[in-house]
């Protein structure tokens, strides 16, 4: 969870800056899905199709799950990263998703 908050996980938004030649931000697309979106924290947590099942499990544990899908991404991130009732579930999602990711690299 700390690595995710600090932006030091191996997401393309971070790893792309260390490639040679350095990738422009818009070129740091997710290799785990076919969305052509930049793989940043928001994409990883909210939209990447590789983690759909894990994300559904996370959303089912949210106290406000019925309202969650209607919120803008910024508010979704705030809930998942800051709400004391959801923080453990979010941390478990990150663990499970990165385990799954390691099998696809």
């Amino acid at each position: 969870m700390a690595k995710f908050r600090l932006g030091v996980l191996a997401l393309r938004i971070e790893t792309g800056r260390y490639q040679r030649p350095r990738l422009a931000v818009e070129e740091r697309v997710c290799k785990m899905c076919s969305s052509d979106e930049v793989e940043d924290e928001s994409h990883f947590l909210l939209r990447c199709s590789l983690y759909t099942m894990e994300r559904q499990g996370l959303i089912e544990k949210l106290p406000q799950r019925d309202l969650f899908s209607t919120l803008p991404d910024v508010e979704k991130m705030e809930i998942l990263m800051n709400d004391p009732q959801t923080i453990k579930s979010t941390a478990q999602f990150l663990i499970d998703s990165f385990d799954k990711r390691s099998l696809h690299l």
Side-chain angles (χ1 to χ4, degrees):
M1 186 64 123
K3 287 181 178 182
F4 190 81
R5 285 180 180 269
L6 293 170
V8 296
L9 284 178
L11 299 176
R12 300 262 302 154
I13 191 70
E14 297 301 325
T15 60
R17 76 179 62 203
Y18 301 111
Q19 285 186 266
R20 294 291 173 239
R22 185 178 188 167
L23 292 178
V25 171
E26 61 273 5
E27 295 175 333
R28 300 176 197 175
V29 298
C30 182
K31 291 183 176 182
M32 301 294 125
C33 68
S34 58
S35 70
D36 289 329
E37 286 186 46
V38 171
E39 186 186 38
D40 58 10
E41 289 80 6
S42 177
H43 173 77
F44 179 83
L45 191 58
L46 302 175
R47 293 183 303 280
C48 186
S49 62
L50 180 64
Y51 316 113
T52 299
M53 290 181 60
E54 291 79 5
R55 188 175 304 108
Q56 286 174 345
L58 169 62
I59 292 170
E60 287 173 10
K61 295 176 185 172
L62 299 177
Q64 61 277 38
R65 69 180 162 269
D66 296 331
L67 173 67
F68 188 78
S69 64
T70 66
L71 299 173
D73 285 354
V74 171
E75 289 183 39
K76 289 177 182 177
M77 291 291 287
E78 285 180 23
I79 290 168
L80 294 174
M81 299 303 295
N82 298 319
D83 186 329
Q85 294 179 325
T86 65
I87 204 79
K88 286 184 182 181
S89 297
T90 302
Q92 190 60 55
F93 168 85
L94 294 173
I95 292 166
D96 295 343
S97 297
F98 262 89
D99 285 349
K100 186 173 190 174
R101 175 191 181 89
S102 67
L103 299 174
H104 285 84
L105 291 176

